[in-house]
Amino acid sequence: MSRNSQQNRAARKRKKQQRDGARQHREFRPEIDAESLIFAGIEFAFGPSTNAESLRRTVDNLAELESSPVSGAALDRVSQLLDASMDHAFASGWQPAELVHAVRREFGARTARLTVAAIGSHASRTSAHKSAPEPWREQLDELNIGADDAPARGRLSAWRAAENAEPTATWTAILSLLGFCNYLVPITPLMATAPDWVTGAAASRPAKRGAEPKVLSRIRGLLAKAEATTFAEEAETLSAKAQDLMTRYAIDSAVIDAHAHTSLSDQVVTRRLLVDNPYPEAKVQLLHCVAKTNNVRVLWHQRFGLVSMVGMPVDLDLSEMLFTSLLVQASHALSEAGGDRVKRSPSFRRSFLLAFATRIGERLVIAREQAGRDASSQYGKELVPIMAERSEAVGSVFEKQFPSVVTTSHSVTNAHGWQAGRVAAELADLSGGRERIAE
């Protein structure tokens, strides 16, 4: 063998030894790498470092741990992180139903069900079914979260078993939820959070809000009948009566508050509504038209499908009822618009709903002006400064909560849908009130 051949052989041997050494150095060590994989996957799943390919490789590696001795420790660590993520979300002002709604929009049903499981663990750990404010407990009931003492690990395992999915799918959901909560933006807290439940600071029942139950019950009954009837004249009559009650109560409440010389800013409250797909921008536009007429300010948290409403309790109550009724009416009108291919297209339906909202808003302005004139005949000139002061108080609170607001506009892409929507809005029941709606 020549000298050059010996040298080449020796060089190849050294390279092989170097590669084997490097491979041994990089050998996967489950007891160390499980946690680093989890934290890397969280960053790959959501946020500025989102990377679908890196996330796929990470969940593949985590799935390989399922049969290793450290699989239990990995799940325990994830359970701890999910618990901490719920603490962070709720301390940041989020509520159970809002969090599930936002996660479902972002990642789908599987990750939303994981969120429910994580909220269940938080509820058990904080005794939420006994100590949380009543609206919080109502949301737990709506999410079918029972009052049991199942540990976080147990709930996580139960969720994985119920999903009956590949480990890569469940790990993807876990990392997605953790990443989402890690970058969750704070929103205005609307009720006491878990640390206050223990000390008893959270009231067992919420403060009475808005119109008296009998008045609200009568208004809801009238609107429900208006939504259900197929006769336009009957709907018009029912809605007119409902709006009379709404307008009378709202204005009377404003005058009573003014005579009581209470701080109006202290009475202004914030609520949030969930806005579902499809066509959320059209639904928010409709809510904006209803709220504006009722002296309520709204802000759309577009990414999360939430809308914040700021106003006096009675005005918020009426706005929510009117908006809900108008959504029913718009849905019926859209169904009656026709079923051919053109009218089933997304552009037609979106333009229809935007036009419906816009025309309703125009009619509500007229109705509000008429209601103001009618009320002035009863209360005289004192009504104008009273309503102006309420409007100023609402605006002040809104601007303090949301100092940087961007106004959005929506383009219309289907002229036929726009025209049909305006026609439907013309047939809607709106007359003689602050907001007159019905089917």
Side-chain angles (χ1 to χ4, degrees), residues 228-244:
T229 184
T230 57
F231 299 101
E233 291 184 1
E234 181 182 11
E236 172 70 22
T237 301
L238 291 167
S239 296
K241 181 60 177 176
Q243 185 57 58
D244 287 344

Side-chain angles (χ1 to χ4, degrees), residues 123-298:
S124 176
R125 179 164 48 88
T126 59
S127 301
H129 286 89
K130 296 180 180 179
S131 305
E134 187 170 322
W136 192 283
R137 302 201 304 268
E138 290 172 353
Q139 292 181 38
L140 297 181
D141 291 340
E142 292 171 0
L143 295 171
N144 294 318
I145 296 175
D148 58 62
D149 297 324
R153 168 72 181 278
R155 290 179 183 271
L156 179 60
S157 298
W159 168 79
R160 283 162 59 92
E163 291 301 311
N164 192 27
E166 293 293 328
T168 52
T170 56
W171 273 110
T172 299
I174 291 168
L175 297 176
S176 297
L177 176 57
L178 290 172
F180 183 80
C181 290
N182 194 40
Y183 288 96
L184 204 57
V185 298
I187 54 179
T188 304
L190 301 185
M191 65 182 80
T193 53
D196 292 329
W197 303 344
V198 178
T199 62
S204 60
R205 294 186 179 275
K208 179 182 173 183
R209 73 183 199 186
E212 296 175 353
K214 288 184 179 179
V215 175
L216 281 179
S217 179
R218 290 187 64 191
I219 293 172
R220 287 196 183 99
L222 290 167
L223 290 176
K225 291 178 181 178
E227 292 164 11
T229 184
T230 57
F231 299 101
E233 291 184 1
E234 181 182 11
E236 172 70 22
T237 301
L238 291 167
S239 296
K241 181 60 177 176
Q243 185 57 58
D244 287 344
L245 289 175
M246 293 178 188
T247 304
R248 188 179 309 128
Y249 187 86
I251 294 180
D252 288 348
S253 296
V255 173
I256 292 172
D257 289 343
H259 290 166
H261 301 292
T262 57
S263 172
L264 291 178
S265 295
D266 292 340
Q267 297 180 46
V268 176
V269 297
T270 302
R271 297 180 194 167
R272 283 192 291 270
L273 295 183
L274 310 182
V275 180
D276 294 317
N277 291 327
Y279 317 115
E281 69 277 14
K283 296 174 182 177
V284 173
Q285 179 66 21
L286 180 60
L287 176 59
H288 170 73
C289 293
V290 171
K292 184 178 180 181
T293 310
N294 275 292
N295 194 31
V296 170
R297 300 283 296 274
V298 298

